[in-house]
Amino acid sequence: MTVKKEPRIYQADFLTELFRHPLDPAYEQAAEARKRNGPLKKPQLVVRKTVTFIVLTIIGALLAVAYQQVIREAPDKEKVRAGLIEQILQKRDSTRALAQTAEQLQAEVAALRDAAIGDPAQIEALRQLDAITGQRKITGDGVVIKISDGPHAATVRQQQINHYDLMIIVNQLWALGADGIAINGQRLTSLTQISSGSGISVGSELVVNPYEIVAVGPSDLDRRFTKSVIGGVYLQYRDDPRFRFGFSVEAKDDLTLPAAVLPPELTHAKVPAPAGSPSATPSSSPSGGGR
Amino acid sequence: MIAVLALIAGVVAGVLLEPTVPLALQPYLPIAVVAALDAVFGGVRAKLDGIFDDKQFVISFISNVLVAALIVYLGDQLGVGTQLSTGVVVVLGVRIFGNVAAIRRHLFRA
């Protein structure tokens, strides 16, 4: 009886065997055993049928529970997403509120300083300096330059706007006499760096595509820019099928640039110590002098 | 016939009672479902072949679920949980397909 079948111990290829005999071999063995020993006694049969019934009920319940679990998990993911979005919006609101407070405080400081200085000519000169260095809100006519990634920027690097693009355009605008520049609402100062890390940063803020460079300056700034070498290059490359990034230059009146949020401390420059004070004298001179 | 009734009763009970699955058991649920399907289709095929055996069916279901869960658990502990789960699904999936094909031949002679 056992000689009839190939021995299963020497299966060389498990997957082939699996494809050929998907049914559990134990079923056949059980059938053979039944044939040998005759049918089961009635009480044993009833017990087995009952157990089978219970197991089938469990399987049915398992299917239902698994289905419900999948259905239930979908809104959970949605909930997490919605929660994250809400957090982002809240943080953004609080950032905005803090920026407004900072601006108010800066205005207050400026007013107090003006009162302390007293001389109108000096105050005016200081205000001009403040506006140019980005420490004061500035309004006026100027130009809005919109530049954005091309449609395939994710894969085609030539269509991607990088921080050099922004730097070159900003430098050109400064050279053409812009009084103040902001990128995506971030005011530039003499201390603001445009850098690339994970994305493009203006100062400490991340800016994302599309980029809007707003400059306040001479009323013909837009014409000056489009006539400049940099403006010409970008206008020409915009129409080149290899690059296809978004680029537009538009003159606009009554632009308002926010004051820059200044870093709390200068990173490299130091206030020079008053002459003759002890800290100004070099302290390393006696070391190793005699020997 | 009774088997189908039992399955339906289970589904109804699952829907009505809405038992919550403990968080620790949740990763095993999909694998348990695949193992259960394998046992069910194997049972149906055996029935059609005329060699169905209650004891064999119960044992194959329980051992399927336990072994599948053990493999997933070990995989999780070793950091290869997804790969081992894929392995389990492939093996059981092949068996399900083979058995369903046999059932199809029985029912439609095709």
Side-chain angles (χ1 to χ4, degrees):
Chain A
M1 191 137 250
T2 45
V3 194
K4 202 175 73 183
K5 254 180 254 101
E6 300 166 33
R8 289 185 193 280
I9 308 151
Y10 302 113
Q11 299 162 359
D13 186 347
F14 170 70
L15 273 181
T16 312
E17 182 63 23
L18 194 67
F19 274 109
R20 215 177 289 155
H21 304 285
L23 190 62
D24 211 324
Y27 275 116
E28 285 173 31
Q29 285 166 13
E32 275 169 25
R34 237 194 340 257
K35 232 182 274 170
R36 263 199 313 265
N37 306 337
L40 288 168
K41 284 173 209 129
K42 188 120 197 220
Q44 210 176 355
L45 204 66
V46 169
V47 169
R48 287 195 175 182
K49 287 270 177 230
T50 317
V51 174
T52 306
F53 188 89
I54 293 167
V55 167
L56 276 167
T57 316
I58 292 172
I59 292 175
L62 183 70
L63 295 181
V65 168
Y67 176 75
Q68 281 173 334
Q69 192 68 30
V70 170
I71 296 292
R72 212 177 296 151
E73 264 171 23
D76 271 2
K77 278 181 197 159
E78 204 54 40
K79 246 183 262 166
V80 169
R81 198 179 122 82
L84 283 175
I85 290 175
E86 193 158 313
Q87 274 182 27
I88 291 170
L89 291 179
Q90 271 178 6
K91 294 279 180 208
R92 201 176 286 170
D93 281 350
S94 66
T95 309
R96 205 168 292 155
L98 285 172
Q100 246 167 27
T101 317
E103 204 174 303
Q104 272 175 14
L105 289 173
Q106 274 184 4
E108 214 172 291
V109 169
L112 287 171
R113 193 183 55 185
D114 291 354
I117 293 172
D119 180 8
Q122 276 189 350
I123 290 171
E124 188 50 36
L126 204 55
R127 283 192 174 182
Q128 290 295 333
L129 279 175
D130 272 353
I132 288 170
T133 52
Q135 296 184 40
R136 179 180 280 272
K137 193 165 84 175
I138 185 173
T139 54
D141 301 346
V143 63
V144 175
I145 297 171
K146 287 179 180 157
I147 184 165
S148 55
D149 288 343
H152 307 297
T155 47
V156 183
R157 247 187 58 205
Q158 285 162 322
Q159 297 193 6
Q160 202 177 4
I161 305 300
N162 60 25
H163 71 291
Y164 287 119
D165 295 311
L166 300 184
M167 260 160 63
I168 290 168
I169 292 170
V170 164
N171 286 344
Q172 182 66 62
L173 286 170
W174 286 130
L176 293 171
D179 295 320
I181 301 177
I183 299 178
N184 285 12
Q186 295 296 318
R187 180 77 179 273
L188 303 182
T189 70
S190 50
L191 295 173
T192 313
Q193 58 171 346
I194 300 172
S195 54
S196 77
S198 52
I200 302 177
S201 306
V202 172
S204 57
E205 288 288 325
L206 204 67
V207 291
V208 289
N209 181 60
Y211 309 97
E212 193 182 58
I213 303 169
V214 181
V216 169
S219 54
D220 61 342
L221 191 57
D222 64 313
R223 257 170 296 149
R224 287 198 206 180
F225 182 75
T226 47
K227 271 188 203 158
S228 71
V229 176
I230 296 298
V233 164
Y234 275 94
L235 283 171
Q236 190 192 332
Y237 279 5
R238 173 188 65 180
D239 302 326
D240 191 317
R242 276 178 304 163
F243 298 99
R244 299 210 340 199
F245 54 87
F247 186 73
S248 72
V249 181
E250 194 188 348
K252 229 175 200 172
D253 295 343
D254 298 327
L255 294 163
T256 302
L257 301 184
V261 180
L262 290 176
E265 282 168 18
L266 298 175
T267 42
H268 297 298
K270 300 264 185 306
V271 179
S277 75
S279 68
T281 57
S283 56
S284 60
S285 53
S287 68
R291 300 190 186 194
Chain B
M1 196 63 217
I2 297 170
V4 175
L5 280 181
L7 263 181
I8 292 172
V11 170
V12 169
V15 170
L16 290 185
L17 297 177
E18 279 195 40
T20 46
V21 184
L23 206 63
L25 288 182
Q26 273 182 14
Y28 304 106
L29 207 55
I31 291 294
V33 167
V34 176
L37 282 179
D38 174 55
V40 168
F41 284 117
V44 171
R45 193 222 165 144
K47 187 90 187 167
L48 292 173
D49 282 353
I51 54 172
F52 181 76
D53 186 75
D54 290 296
K55 184 176 151 202
Q56 177 53 42
F57 171 74
V58 170
I59 290 174
S60 81
F61 167 68
I62 292 173
S63 75
N64 262 1
V65 170
L66 285 184
V67 170
L70 180 73
I71 288 176
V72 173
Y73 172 78
L74 273 180
D76 277 344
Q77 298 304 308
L78 294 171
V80 287
T82 27
Q83 288 93 322
L84 279 185
S85 306
T86 310
V88 170
V89 169
V90 166
V91 169
L92 294 181
V94 165
R95 275 179 34 158
I96 290 173
F97 264 103
N99 284 330
V100 169
I103 293 168
R104 189 195 64 210
R105 280 197 293 276
H106 266 292
L107 293 182
F108 304 113
R109 310 249 167 269

